[in-house]
């Protein structure tokens, strides 16, 4: 046996084994330390054990002797189960190879149910104790024969146990999960050895897959679609592998139902932890393969190159667009500069021409003034200096030159005639221009241009109350975002309002606050007509000789009292008119019908306490009642309401 670094070397004295070193190893797991401390009744039990008053061997006997009084009965806490739970007998090195016993060691987890049954029949027939009875004859002593017999029976029992385990799907799955398996995960490899390294690893771990058969890793020529399907399968890998733990509790050895549930929870924790570790192991295998798969790397490089190519193409297109825009802008700038330059040159040339013309005009005017000096000084043909200036201002350069040329070869009277002729020509041209302007109606006789007649502005039709209400409803019914909203609202109003009028009304009419002074008038307009009340008030007979039906009514429909119809008289006469019939009718006026009470309640809601002249408006809203009667009825209603609450 070769020594390993992980095995502790133990030496013995020379007299034991001739001084040779002995290597001792064990595959049993260390005892797991408990992290639970006793509490409650368990703490009490532990204290009794430490004191020596309570022995563990006599627990069963003591439990039989315990009194049945309720004050001594208790239930052990779950913390005490950690020290009392009986774990499964460790399999370790004592676990037998079921496949080898049945002669299926070469197939193992690949063996089918039919192969297991066939192999069991052959092995059981071969190793049955009755078939092995001849081996007992070769033994000399009875002890040897008994030992041989026990060995044969134990071997046959092992074969039966192997068959029972392998033929049961659940037990076989647990056994296969604990069978020898290489959990090693490849971490690194060269690109050319990728399929040689990771292919067997995937095939080896594929035995745990719920879905069979598993997809193959393929080779370098496998399509990308199959590659994606392969990695999708392994990233969603579902394993049937069980994870029996050496520290699991045997549920059959539970002392009670609570103890059994506690064992199940502990076993579930261990299994869940193992499943997470297995999932992390498979995930690391798939991640390592995906990072080093040459097919995936080539696709990533291709996608990266395409992305870079698109990015460069986009950049070049943007650059070309910017260059084109810059070129167009430069051409426009140059073109504009050339146009500005040409315009400046033309303006300069025109300015020079004008300056030259002005200079020539001034020269000819000076020449005319010089030639006409003698005529003006002698007052020939009543020509004055102003006439000469008028001629200078009216004639252009060519006309002035011709006039001066004609005047140079002549004397004073002839020069005066030429000037007079030019002056009369100037006046005739002005009259002709004025006449034409008057005929066209563009110039008045005084030479002023007439102002165009102002077109009469179209008066807007005022908005009525119904139109305003329809406009409010239309704005709510057709909110923002409605197609052709204002045209639809115009059709909804139905009075032929244009879109411009509606838009203007939304900024003016709808923003106007209602006049508080007209609130009572609007209430009276909106109020429904009062229902006729059949009461003693309507059937009263004459008061002071005046029938009720003949009493004049006011514009608001409220009948005036007899005192109002007779006018204002002297105070003594008014006191005399207070007769007994009026007193007897006061009791009748205190009678309120259901309609009157409803009108009173509605009026009180309409006109709150802050309203000016509240009770006058309330009395006007209640048919056939005065202010004092309304106040009195309001007090009675309030007292009645309070009494009901009590």
């Amino acid at each position: 046996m070769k020594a390993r670094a992980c095995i502790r070397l133990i030496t013995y004295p020379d007299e034991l084994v001739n001084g040779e070193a002995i290597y001792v190893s064990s595959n049993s797991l260390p005892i797991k330390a408990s992290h639970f401390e006793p509490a409650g009744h368990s703490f009490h039990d532990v204290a009794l054990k430490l004191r020596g008053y309570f022995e563990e061997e006599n627990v069963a006997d003591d439990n039989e002797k315990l009194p049945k009084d309720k004050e001594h009965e208790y239930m052990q806490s779950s913390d005490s189960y950690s020290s009392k739970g009986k774990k499964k007998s460790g399999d370790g090195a004592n676990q037998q190879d079921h496949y080898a016993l049945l002669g299926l060691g070469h197939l193992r987890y690949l063996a089918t149910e039919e192969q297991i049954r066939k192999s069991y029949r052959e092995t059981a027939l071969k190793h049955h104790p009755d078939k092995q009875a001849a081996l007992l004859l070769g033994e000399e002593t009875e002890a040897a024969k008994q030992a041989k017999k026990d060995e044969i029976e134990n071997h046959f029992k092992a074969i039966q146990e192997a068959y029972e385990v392998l033929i049961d799907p659940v037990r076989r799955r647990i056994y296969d999960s604990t069978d020898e398996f290489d959990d090693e995960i490849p971490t690194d490899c060269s690109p050319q050895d990728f399929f040689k390294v990771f292919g067997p690893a995937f095939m080896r771990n594929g035995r745990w897959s719920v879905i069979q058969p598993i997809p193959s890793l393929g080779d370098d020529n496998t399509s990308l679609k199959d590659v994606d399907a392969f990695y999708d399968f392994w990233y969603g890998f579902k394993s049937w592998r069980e994870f029996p733990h050496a520290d699991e509790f045997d549920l059959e050895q539970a002392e009670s139902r609570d103890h059994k549930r506690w064992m199940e929870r502990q076993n579930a924790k261990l299994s869940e932890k193992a499943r997470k570790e297995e999932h992390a192991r498979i995930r690391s295998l798939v991640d390592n393969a995906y990072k080093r798969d040459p097919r995936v790397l080539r696709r990533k490089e291709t996608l990266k190159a395409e992305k870079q190519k698109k990015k460069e193409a986009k950049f070049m297109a943007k650059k070309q667009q910017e260059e084109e825009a810059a070129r167009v802008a430069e051409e426009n700038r140059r073109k504009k500069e050339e146009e500005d330059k040409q315009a400046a040159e033309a303006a300069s040339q025109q300015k020079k021409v004008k300056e030259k013309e002005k200079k020539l005009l001034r020269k000819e005017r000076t020449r005319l003034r010089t030639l006409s000096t003698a005529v003006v000084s002698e007052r020939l043909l009543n020509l004055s200096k102003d006439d000469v200036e008028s001629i200078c201002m009216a004639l252009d350069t060519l006309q002035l030159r011709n006039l001066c040329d004609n005047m140079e070869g002549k004397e004073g009277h002839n020069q005066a005639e030429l000037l007079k002729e030019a002056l009369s020509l100037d006046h005739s041209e002005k009259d002709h221009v004025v006449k034409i302007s008057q005929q066209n109606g563009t110039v008045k006789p005084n030479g002023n241009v007439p102002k165009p007649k102002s077109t009469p502005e179209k008066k807007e039709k005022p908005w009525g109350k119904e139109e305003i209400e329809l406009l409010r409803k239309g704005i709510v019914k057709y909110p923002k975002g409605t197609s052709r909203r204002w045209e639809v609202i115009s059709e909804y109003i139905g009075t032929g309002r244009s879109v411009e009028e509606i838009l203007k009304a939304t900024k003016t009419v709808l923003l106007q606050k209602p006049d508080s002074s007209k609130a009572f008038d609007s209430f009276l307009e909106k109020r429904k007509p009062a229902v006729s009340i059949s009461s003693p008030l309507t059937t009263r007979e004459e008061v002071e000789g005046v029938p009720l039906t003949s009493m004049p009514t006011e514009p608001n429909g409220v009948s005036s009292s007899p005192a109002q119809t007779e006018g204002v008289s002297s105070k003594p006469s008014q006191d005399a008119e207070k007769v007994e019939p009026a007193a007897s009718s006061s009791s009748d006026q205190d009678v309120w019908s259901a309609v009157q009470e409803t009108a009173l309640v509605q009026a009180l809601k309409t006109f709150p306490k802050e309203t000016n002249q509240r009770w006058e408006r309330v009395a006007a809203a209640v048919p056939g009642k005065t202010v004092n009667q309304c106040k009195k009825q309001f007090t009675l209603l309030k007292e009645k309401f309070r009494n009901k609450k009590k």
Side-chain angles (χ1 to χ4, degrees):
M1 184 177 180
K2 295 183 179 180
R4 300 186 199 174
C6 61
I7 299 176
R8 188 182 296 275
L9 180 62
I10 302 176
T11 57
Y12 294 86
D14 296 339
E15 60 272 11
L16 292 179
V17 285
N18 299 327
E20 296 181 0
I22 298 176
Y23 300 95
V24 180
S25 63
S26 174
N27 57 358
S28 61
L29 295 175
I31 298 174
K32 185 177 179 181
S34 175
H35 297 287
F36 302 100
E37 295 182 357
H41 296 290
S42 299
F43 179 81
H44 184 67
D45 295 341
V46 172
L48 292 176
K49 291 177 186 177
L50 294 177
R51 291 287 184 178
Y53 299 111
F54 187 74
E55 294 183 359
E56 195 171 3
E57 294 80 7
N58 299 327
V59 170
D61 299 337
D62 293 341
N63 288 338
E64 295 177 358
K65 299 176 182 179
L66 284 175
K68 295 183 180 181
D69 297 339
K70 292 184 179 180
E71 60 183 2
H72 296 288
E73 292 180 358
Y74 63 90
M75 183 178 292
Q76 292 183 347
S77 63
S78 60
D79 295 334
S80 62
Y81 295 154
S82 59
S83 60
K84 284 186 140 187
K86 299 176 182 179
K87 299 181 180 180
K88 295 180 180 178
S89 57
D91 296 328
N94 298 328
Q95 182 175 355
Q96 62 182 9
D97 189 351
H98 298 325
Y99 289 107
L101 287 173
L102 297 181
L104 300 174
H106 61 290
L107 296 176
R108 304 198 73 78
Y109 72 95
L110 297 176
T112 62
E113 184 177 350
E114 184 63 28
Q115 290 174 338
I116 293 173
R117 292 182 185 278
K118 183 178 179 181
S119 179
Y120 169 70
R121 285 195 294 267
E122 294 175 355
T123 307
L125 185 62
K126 180 180 178 181
H127 296 281
H128 195 275
D130 295 341
K131 297 287 185 179
Q132 301 292 326
L135 298 177
L136 299 178
L137 301 176
E139 300 296 334
E140 296 179 356
T141 62
E142 291 295 331
K145 290 181 180 181
Q146 186 64 32
K148 189 66 175 178
K149 183 179 179 181
D150 294 341
E151 180 182 353
I152 293 172
E153 291 178 353
N154 290 336
H155 184 69
F156 184 73
K157 290 179 181 179
I159 293 173
Q160 288 181 328
E161 182 182 358
Y163 174 73
E164 292 174 357
V165 171
L166 298 181
I167 204 64
D168 186 357
V170 177
R171 298 177 65 183
R172 184 184 179 184
R173 184 171 61 184
I174 297 174
Y175 176 77
D176 288 341
S177 299
T178 58
D179 200 3
E180 294 181 0
F181 180 73
D182 184 9
D183 288 336
E184 184 181 359
I185 300 298
T187 56
D188 196 5
C189 67
S190 59
Q192 57 272 16
D193 296 336
F194 172 78
F195 298 99
K196 295 180 181 179
V197 173
F198 282 91
F202 279 108
M203 293 300 296
R204 185 170 63 250
N205 287 276
R207 63 180 289 187
W208 310 120
S209 175
V210 175
I211 303 173
Q212 294 291 343
I214 62 172
S216 175
L217 181 61
D219 53 14
D220 198 39
N221 298 323
T222 305
S223 63
L224 292 176
K225 183 178 180 181
D226 295 337
V227 173
D228 291 337
F230 173 80
Y231 284 107
D232 289 342
F233 172 82
W234 280 98
Y235 273 117
F237 183 76
K238 294 182 180 179
S239 174
W240 56 264
R241 189 177 185 182
E242 299 288 342
F243 302 95
H245 201 275
D247 291 342
E248 281 189 358
F249 291 92
D250 188 359
L251 301 181
E252 296 179 357
Q253 299 182 12
E255 298 179 357
S256 62
R257 184 167 56 184
D258 292 334
H259 191 189
K260 183 178 180 180
R261 291 175 180 173
W262 180 83
M263 286 181 176
E264 290 175 349
R265 290 195 295 271
Q266 299 302 318
N267 293 345
K269 290 179 182 179
L270 296 174
S271 300
E272 184 64 23
K273 182 178 179 182
R275 286 193 184 92
K276 289 182 180 179
E277 293 175 354
E278 176 69 7
H279 182 269
R281 188 183 69 83
I282 297 294
R283 189 60 180 263
S284 63
L285 170 64
V286 182
D287 289 340
N288 293 340
Y290 191 80
K291 291 177 183 177
R292 294 166 179 81
D293 195 331
R295 301 164 297 184
V296 178
L297 295 178
R298 281 198 302 270
R299 179 172 64 178
K300 287 183 178 179
E301 291 176 358
T302 304
L303 294 176
K304 186 176 180 180
E306 291 179 357
K307 187 177 180 180
Q308 185 66 22
K309 188 176 180 180
K310 289 181 181 179
K311 187 176 180 181
E312 291 177 357
K314 186 177 180 181
F315 175 76
M316 293 301 297
K318 186 177 180 180
K319 186 177 180 181
Q320 290 178 359
Q321 187 178 1
E322 291 177 353
E323 291 177 354
E324 183 67 17
R327 185 183 63 79
V328 172
E330 184 65 21
E331 290 181 358
N332 294 336
R333 187 184 63 79
R334 290 179 181 177
K335 187 176 180 180
K336 187 176 181 181
E337 287 180 356
E338 291 178 0
E339 292 177 354
D340 293 344
K341 186 177 180 181
Q342 292 177 0
E345 291 177 356
S348 178
Q349 190 68 23
Q350 189 176 4
K351 186 177 180 182
K352 290 180 181 179
V353 172
K354 287 183 178 181
E355 290 293 335
K356 187 176 181 181
E357 290 178 355
K358 288 180 180 180
K359 189 175 181 181
L360 292 174
L361 183 60
R362 286 194 299 268
K363 183 179 178 181
E364 295 298 331
R365 286 175 179 175
T366 304
R367 184 182 173 191
L368 180 61
R369 292 187 189 103
T370 304
L371 292 174
S372 60
T373 304
V375 177
V376 173
S377 61
E378 294 178 4
R379 301 287 294 180
L380 297 176
L381 301 178
N382 294 327
L383 292 173
S384 63
K385 190 176 181 180
D386 294 335
D387 296 333
V388 176
E389 289 296 330
S390 177
I391 294 171
C392 290
M393 294 294 120
L395 302 180
D396 57 5
T397 304
L398 183 59
Q399 291 174 344
L400 288 173
R401 185 183 294 127
N402 293 333
L403 180 60
C404 292
D405 292 341
N406 294 333
M407 290 177 64
E408 281 183 352
K410 297 180 181 181
E411 295 298 331
H413 189 72
N414 294 331
Q415 290 179 351
E417 289 180 354
L418 292 173
L419 291 172
K420 192 70 174 177
E421 184 180 355
L423 185 61
S424 63
L425 181 63
D426 179 31
H427 287 306
S428 64
E429 288 181 356
K430 285 184 178 180
D431 293 340
H432 182 66
V433 171
V434 170
K435 187 176 181 180
I436 293 174
S437 301
Q438 289 178 353
Q439 291 177 357
N440 295 335
T442 57
V443 181
K444 291 184 179 181
N446 57 2
N448 296 329
V449 179
K451 295 182 180 179
K453 294 182 179 180
S454 59
T455 58
E457 295 182 358
K458 185 179 180 181
K459 294 184 179 180
E460 294 184 359
K461 181 181 176 182
W463 286 76
K465 293 183 179 180
E466 295 182 358
E467 288 182 320
I468 295 173
E469 291 297 326
L470 289 174
L471 178 59
R472 293 182 191 276
K473 294 178 181 179
I475 291 175
V476 175
K477 187 174 182 179
Y478 304 104
K480 294 180 180 178
T482 306
S483 179
R484 299 176 68 254
R485 182 191 184 195
W486 300 111
E487 290 80 354
V488 174
I489 293 176
S490 177
E491 295 177 359
Y492 176 76
I493 295 173
T495 56
R497 293 286 183 179
S498 63
V499 176
E500 292 77 10
E501 290 178 332
I502 294 174
L503 290 173
K504 187 176 180 181
T506 55
K507 299 177 182 179
T508 56
V509 178
L510 294 183
L511 298 179
Q512 292 179 356
K513 294 183 178 179
D515 190 0
S516 59
S517 61
K518 298 181 180 180
F520 180 66
D521 297 335
S522 61
F523 165 74
L524 293 178
E525 291 178 1
K526 295 180 181 179
R527 191 183 65 172
K528 296 181 179 179
V531 182
S532 60
I533 304 170
S534 58
S535 66
L537 295 175
T538 58
T539 58
R540 286 187 303 171
E541 297 181 353
E542 300 176 355
V543 179
E544 293 293 331
V546 180
L548 182 64
T549 56
S550 63
M551 290 183 181
T553 57
E554 292 181 355
N556 59 358
V558 180
S559 61
S560 60
S561 62
Q564 292 174 345
T565 57
E566 293 174 0
V568 180
S569 59
S570 61
K571 191 173 183 180
S573 62
Q574 291 178 354
D575 295 335
E577 291 176 356
K578 296 179 181 179
V579 292
E580 293 181 1
S584 61
S585 63
S586 61
S587 60
D588 296 337
Q589 292 179 355
D590 293 338
V591 178
W592 284 72
S593 64
V595 177
Q596 288 176 327
E597 289 184 356
T598 305
L600 175 62
V601 174
Q602 186 65 30
L604 290 173
K605 293 180 180 178
T606 306
F607 305 110
K609 293 181 179 180
E610 298 80 9
T611 307
N612 294 329
Q613 298 180 353
R614 182 194 185 195
W615 289 106
E616 287 76 3
R617 297 185 177 186
V618 171
V622 179
K625 295 297 179 181
T626 62
V627 174
N628 294 330
Q629 290 174 343
C630 292
K631 289 182 179 180
K632 186 176 180 181
Q633 184 66 15
F634 172 68
T635 305
L636 294 175
L637 291 175
K638 187 163 59 174
E639 292 178 357
K640 188 185 297 183
F641 178 75
R642 289 177 180 174
N643 294 332
K644 285 184 179 180
K645 289 181 68 176
K646 293 179 180 179

